[in-house]
């Protein structure tokens, strides 16, 4: 029988992996993918908590997180494409017009 | 059985996550992320969230990852990240910070939830998981649900506005030759 702590620890590790990806990678698309990974880790904790409580509220919350993540991915990718059209680069370091 | 499935899928999820972070090609990263999403869908099934497992595969692995791949293809597949580091010691520092974050999270989870146990029955009412979620969504969570629709409309309009090609020069006399151009948003 698996225990909640195993699911929660796995979600924590996945979140850390996503954070490392967002820090290490330089391509904006892969950074966005790392953020999706972190959101998924949080979703796993929501579903685990819902199972612990024996209620559905956590699952509904995870559902909302999925919807918001979809909207976020769409807008983020649109911004990346718009920047790519202007500076011809997909690297996050090449966007530094506002950097002093 | 459930235990073995959990461990196999936990290893799959962690390895595919690490593979996503380490793959040099963005397409490989995206495919690794799809594997990760499927592993998470298996966890949702194990936790009794059957509807969320279906949503995970349809929305994440189906829609969002196709969008990511579309954008990667749009910007050129062969483009690889340069190996030099713009910030000195960026990778070791990031690994240190991420490892510390993971260790801290696992420590806190172990100390505060080490003795937690699952509830006796899953959170699905007698009618089933999808029906229970639908009932919760349209009764106690009706207002957030409607706000979500506004969010989606705003996101769609925002994408159209961002993805629109700017007119090359303002010509008030010309009858807008570029107006037949489609929105161009991904």
């Amino acid at each position: 029988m698996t225990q909640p702590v195993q699911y929660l620890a796995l979600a924590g590790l996945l979140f850390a992996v996503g954070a490392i990806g967002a820090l290490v990678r330089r391509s904006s698309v892969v950074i966005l993918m790392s953020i999706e990974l972190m959101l998924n880790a949080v979703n796993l904790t929501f579903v685990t908590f819902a199972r612990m409580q024996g209620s559905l509220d956590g699952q509904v919350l995870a559902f909302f997180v999925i919807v918001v993540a979809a909207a976020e991915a769409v807008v983020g990718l649109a911004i990346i494409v718009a920047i790519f059209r202007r500076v011809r680069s997909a690297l996050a370091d090449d966007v530094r017009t506002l950097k002093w | 059985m459930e235990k073995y499935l959990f461990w196999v899928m936990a290893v799959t999820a962690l390895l595919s996550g690490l593979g996503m972070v380490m793959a040099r090609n963005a397409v490989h990263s995206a495919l690794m992320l799809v594997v990760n999403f499927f592993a998470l869908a298996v966890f949702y099934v194990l936790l009794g969230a059957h509807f969320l497992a279906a949503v995970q595969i349809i929305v994440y692995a189906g829609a969002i990852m196709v969008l990511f791949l579309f954008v990667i293809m749009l910007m050129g597949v062969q483009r690889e990240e340069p190996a030099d580091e713009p910030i000195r010691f960026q990778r070791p520092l990031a690994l240190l910070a991420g490892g510390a974050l993971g260790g801290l999270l696992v420590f806190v989870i172990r100390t505060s939830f080490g003795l937690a146990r699952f509830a006796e029955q899953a959170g699905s009412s007698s009618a089933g998981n999808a029906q229970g979620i639908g009932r919760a969504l349209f009764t106690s969570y009706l207002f957030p649900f409607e706000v979500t629709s506004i969010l989606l409309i705003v996101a769609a309009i925002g994408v159209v506005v961002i993805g629109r090609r700017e007119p090359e020069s303002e010509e008030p006399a010309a009858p807008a030759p570029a107006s037949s151009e489609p929105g161009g948003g991904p």
Side-chain angles (χ1 to χ4, degrees):
Chain A
M1 184 63 192
T2 48
Q3 301 302 338
V5 65
Q6 294 172 321
Y7 286 97
L8 295 174
L10 173 68
L13 287 176
L14 281 178
F15 190 90
V17 169
I20 291 174
L23 288 175
V24 167
R25 297 306 295 262
R26 298 174 60 194
S27 155
S28 355
V29 180
V30 183
I31 290 176
L32 211 55
M33 282 198 260
S34 303
I35 294 171
E36 297 289 329
L37 183 59
M38 289 156 81
L39 285 168
N40 267 287
V42 174
N43 268 348
L44 185 57
T45 60
F46 271 135
V47 177
T48 309
F49 284 144
R51 181 74 179 77
M52 277 166 66
Q53 306 283 335
S55 81
L56 281 174
D57 293 344
Q59 294 186 23
V60 176
L61 218 51
F63 182 68
F64 282 126
V65 171
I66 288 178
V67 174
V68 173
E72 169 253 11
V74 168
V75 175
L77 287 172
I79 291 172
I80 289 173
V81 169
I83 290 173
F84 179 75
R85 276 209 208 117
R86 195 164 283 261
V87 297
R88 287 281 136 200
S89 162
L91 297 183
D93 306 303
D94 292 337
V95 185
R96 53 183 169 204
T97 313
L98 283 177
K99 193 178 172 189
W100 48 273
Chain B
M1 176 65 196
E2 188 195 335
K3 197 172 134 191
Y4 297 121
L5 196 55
F6 172 82
W7 284 111
V8 169
M9 277 309 164
V11 171
T12 308
L14 275 179
L15 284 185
S16 59
L18 284 172
M20 187 216 77
V21 171
M22 290 193 289
R24 296 197 57 77
N25 193 327
V27 178
H28 297 170
S29 289
L31 294 179
M32 283 296 184
L33 197 56
V34 171
V35 174
N36 198 336
F37 288 162
F38 272 96
L40 279 170
V42 173
F43 287 134
Y44 293 164
V45 172
L46 285 179
L47 290 167
H50 304 121
F51 178 69
L52 265 188
V55 168
Q56 171 87 6
I57 288 177
I58 293 170
V59 174
Y60 259 119
I64 296 184
M65 287 325 292
V66 168
L67 199 63
F68 271 100
L69 284 171
F70 189 83
V71 170
I72 292 169
M73 300 292 173
L74 203 66
M75 298 194 297
V77 186
Q78 295 309 321
R79 211 174 276 272
E80 287 199 346
E81 294 183 25
D84 61 319
E85 297 179 322
I87 307 168
R88 203 184 302 177
F89 303 127
Q90 180 179 359
R91 266 173 215 146
L93 282 179
L95 280 179
L96 191 68
L101 176 68
L104 193 66
L105 280 173
V106 170
F107 173 74
V108 169
I109 285 165
R110 274 180 64 91
T111 46
S112 42
F113 293 104
L115 299 175
R117 292 290 175 268
F118 283 126
E120 278 307 310
Q121 91 277 23
S124 53
S125 54
S126 59
N129 180 257
Q131 209 163 350
I133 292 230
R135 187 163 292 129
L137 210 54
F138 288 109
T139 52
S140 43
Y141 291 96
L142 183 60
F143 183 67
F145 183 75
E146 296 296 339
V147 172
T148 301
S149 69
I150 297 176
L151 173 79
L152 287 177
I153 289 177
V154 170
I157 295 173
V159 166
V160 170
V161 171
I162 292 170
R164 196 175 49 119
R165 221 173 272 276
E166 287 176 25
E168 296 298 327
S169 59
E170 293 295 328
E171 299 160 305
S179 64
S180 64
E181 187 106 342

